[in-house]
Amino acid sequence: MDANVRLRDIPSVDELLRSAAVVEAIECFGRQPVIEALRNVLAAIRNEVREGGDIPTSDAIATAAVAALETNDRSTLRPLFNLTGTVLHTNLGRALLAEAAIDAATEAMREAVALEFDLESGKRGERDDHLRALVCERTGAEDATVVNNNAAAVLLVLNSLAAGREAIVSRGELIEIGGAFRMPDIMLRSGVRLVEVGTTNRTHARDYRDAIGPDTGLMMKVHTSNYRIEGFTKEVGARELAEIARERGLPLVNDLGSGTITDLERFGLAHEPTVSEAIADGADIVTFSGDKLLGGPQAGFIVGRSAFIDKINRNPMKRALRVDKIRLAALEATLRLYRDPDRLSERLPTMRLLARPKADISEQAARLAPLVERTVKGAFNVSVIACESQIGSGALPLSTVPSAGLALAPLSGSGRILAELAAALRRLPMPVIGRIERGSLVLDLRCLEDEEGFVANLEHLDPPGGGPSS
Ligand SMILES: *Cc1c(COP(=O)(O)O)cnc(C)c1O
């Protein structure tokens, strides 16, 4: 039959709008989006018919339009299962917030709050007032302020205290954190001239002393949070550096990065320098992140001596880098949890996940293995394995936490089937993100708390190379 004649047989938008499926879709998505989706599907069908293809039924057209609407309506920022084994995964949003922080943030979103308003006097207040006491009490610092993230904190501190002057840093501490945070670049952008001292592996006190001159604005120590230099090494400790800085009347800035405010040993982890230790060791300013080991929302803390914090607060850049009421509310609620360290591992997801015992995770893996096996039957062998979780975000880079998980190994075929399985897992209503390791797809179960949700979600899996649905 002539293609033009057949084109006339394609149902019209008006006809389709009367079908039950489309009426239902209008309820859900609204009239305009549904009409647009139908037009898109019809345009594609017209092209196919011109090429000699068949005309689908009205039902099939409606179904295709609804499917397109559903796909389009899904947020790309939707929740997922982080089974990568990295607890604080920067690309997956780092710390999960405590319920108390979520409640506080939700309330702050919904209501007007006394953000810069002093309820006592009825006069103007300061944003930092809500956090200052809590931060100082947890860190021993005199004063504190908070900005968008730790990169912003470092930028602001350098610019406020040493713009147009020199900052002295050991060569062994010129870090790069993933995502374009490189200490030399931040220094340049903050208007500070970087003076590198020592060598990659060894820096001595005399290197710092020799570098100090009339243009020196500050001395800086950077926690090498995501690597270690081992072997024939020498670094000048924070305490000794503080002495040198004090002798010469210079501020010492310590960028801790993760900067925990509690002893991680409590949770069975290795020691990570705390903010209190850095303050006690004589740093004038310490910077650290809100969404790394602290377990709160993205933020950058600047704590230390009042005179320097005042100077930082007077910098107009501060206004450009400040945080909003939502994050302040979440930060305040998170910090409050630290007043009761005994219950921290129950209440703070970051600590709860990091402290989760391996035996508990192994049991969960044993429970889930048969279910996962059934889902990928015929294509993959599923086994319970011991593995190592990472803290992530540059905290304790060399120490891992014993964990357990599932390894899905292809029964036959190439490495491509693994990539296909990983893609199928990413397409689930709640995407599952694992890691490919030594010929298997590994799901580290340390961060799997909603086991029921995981199992229900898995029913939607369309695995490559067989499986129950093919
Ligand atoms: C993570 C880190 C930063 C950057 O902090 P963000 O909160 O990601 O901006 C800076 N310095 C060190 C040492 C870090 O570990």
Side-chain angles (χ1 to χ4, degrees):
M1 204 195 296
D2 182 339
N4 283 329
V5 175
R6 292 175 61 239
L7 283 174
R8 269 185 247 131
D9 291 339
I10 297 176
S12 69
V13 171
D14 282 339
E15 279 171 69
L16 291 164
L17 282 174
R18 286 192 289 272
S19 89
V22 170
V23 170
E24 205 177 302
I26 289 174
E27 273 294 302
C28 181
F29 299 101
R31 194 177 164 82
Q32 281 310 317
V34 169
I35 290 176
E36 221 166 281
L38 286 172
R39 282 193 183 132
N40 289 340
V41 173
L42 289 174
I45 290 169
R46 271 195 290 274
N47 284 337
E48 280 164 27
V49 169
R50 276 192 202 103
E51 306 281 309
D54 291 330
I55 297 173
T57 63
S58 294
D59 275 354
I61 297 171
T63 307
V66 170
L69 283 163
E70 277 169 355
T71 306
N72 212 12
D73 206 45
R74 259 195 208 169
S75 167
T76 47
L77 196 60
R78 66 186 186 276
L80 51 77
F81 287 104
N82 169 15
L83 305 188
T84 60
T86 300
V87 177
L88 296 169
H89 199 301
T90 297
N91 298 352
L92 304 182
R94 291 193 184 159
L96 309 182
L97 268 61
E99 288 304 320
I102 294 165
D103 290 345
T106 307
E107 201 163 30
M109 279 194 270
R110 195 174 282 129
E111 311 284 351
V113 295
L115 180 61
E116 291 184 353
F117 183 76
D118 181 10
L119 288 171
E120 199 116 339
S121 66
K123 297 207 173 96
R124 198 197 148 102
E126 270 181 54
R127 232 165 250 254
D128 287 334
D129 290 346
H130 308 286
L131 292 179
R132 187 177 290 113
L134 270 167
V135 177
C136 294
E137 141 196 330
R138 290 297 113 205
T139 61
E142 264 175 34
D143 204 351
T145 186
V146 64
V147 287
N148 180 57
N149 59 7
N150 190 35
V154 173
L155 181 76
L156 182 63
V157 167
L158 291 170
N159 182 267
S160 306
L161 305 186
R165 305 178 73 195
E166 293 171 350
I168 301 176
V169 191
S170 162
R171 281 209 166 82
E173 296 175 2
L174 290 173
I175 57 164
E176 172 181 314
I177 309 281
F181 177 95
R182 300 176 114 190
M183 198 47 85
D185 297 339
I186 293 281
M187 292 238 164
L188 189 70
R189 290 292 166 154
S190 66
V192 168
R193 284 197 304 283
L194 166 64
V195 175
E196 303 173 29
V197 298
T199 59
T200 306
N201 57 327
R202 291 172 69 83
T203 303
H204 305 269
R206 64 165 187 277
D207 294 328
Y208 287 98
R209 285 207 172 86
D210 291 349
I212 297 172
D215 281 346
T216 308
L218 59 81
M219 291 174 63
M220 182 150 195
K221 183 151 191 71
V222 185
H223 182 48
T224 53
S225 50
N226 53 4
Y227 66 97
R228 284 280 176 278
I229 295 174
E230 291 187 335
F232 184 54
T233 63
K234 165 95 174 78
E235 77 168 310
V236 181
R239 200 169 278 251
E240 193 178 357
L241 212 51
E243 274 167 31
I244 300 171
R246 201 162 319 124
E247 269 169 31
R248 305 297 186 97
L250 292 168
L252 173 66
V253 175
N254 191 343
D255 176 25
L256 275 187
S258 210
T260 176
I261 58 170
T262 187
D263 280 335
L264 292 182
E265 288 97 321
R266 292 180 73 96
F267 307 99
L269 302 170
H271 184 78
E272 166 93 359
T274 65
V275 181
S276 313
E277 283 166 5
I279 292 287
D281 281 344
D284 296 294
I285 289 288
V286 179
T287 55
F288 58 101
S289 294
D291 55 351
K292 293 185 181 173
L293 281 169
L294 190 91
Q298 179 185 299
F301 285 93
I302 305 172
V303 309
R305 292 201 192 284
S306 291
F308 296 125
I309 300 285
D310 282 346
K311 208 166 171 190
I312 288 161
N313 281 330
R314 285 197 304 271
N315 186 335
M317 261 184 162
K318 167 74 191 295
R319 171 63 200 264
L321 302 173
R322 73 182 185 186
V323 295
D324 65 302
K325 62 171 182 174
I326 306 165
R327 274 197 280 162
L328 268 182
L331 280 172
E332 189 202 10
T334 304
L335 286 167
R336 221 176 268 291
L337 296 178
Y338 280 89
R339 285 187 167 155
D340 183 2
D342 294 340
R343 276 187 286 181
L344 211 48
S345 63
E346 280 166 45
R347 293 168 162 181
L348 199 66
T350 299
M351 291 306 159
R352 186 170 69 228
L353 295 173
L354 286 172
R356 205 177 154 203
K358 183 183 171 181
D360 185 34
I361 307 169
S362 300
E363 279 170 29
Q364 185 180 41
R367 274 196 306 278
L368 286 174
L371 295 170
V372 175
E373 174 99 64
R374 206 175 313 138
T375 315
V376 296
K377 199 164 52 196
F380 295 87
N381 171 50
V382 178
S383 53
V384 174
I385 55 158
C387 56
E388 295 289 323
S389 306
Q390 291 190 329
I391 295 171
S393 288
L396 298 170
L398 297 189
S399 71
T400 53
V401 194
S403 185
L406 299 172
L408 285 70
L411 289 174
S412 64
S414 63
R416 215 181 61 207
I417 195 170
L418 270 181
E420 283 168 10
L421 175 64
L425 287 165
R426 288 197 302 273
R427 278 195 301 268
L428 284 168
M430 183 136 163
V432 172
I433 315 294
R435 62 173 195 264
I436 291 176
E437 201 174 88
R438 277 178 273 127
S440 293
L441 189 110
V442 172
L443 304 176
D444 182 327
L445 300 184
R446 172 167 297 281
C447 295
L448 180 58
E449 294 198 297
D450 178 14
E451 191 173 317
E452 239 173 75
F454 177 77
V455 171
N457 185 51
L458 213 57
E459 281 170 19
H460 301 275
L461 186 73
D462 183 13
S469 56
S470 46

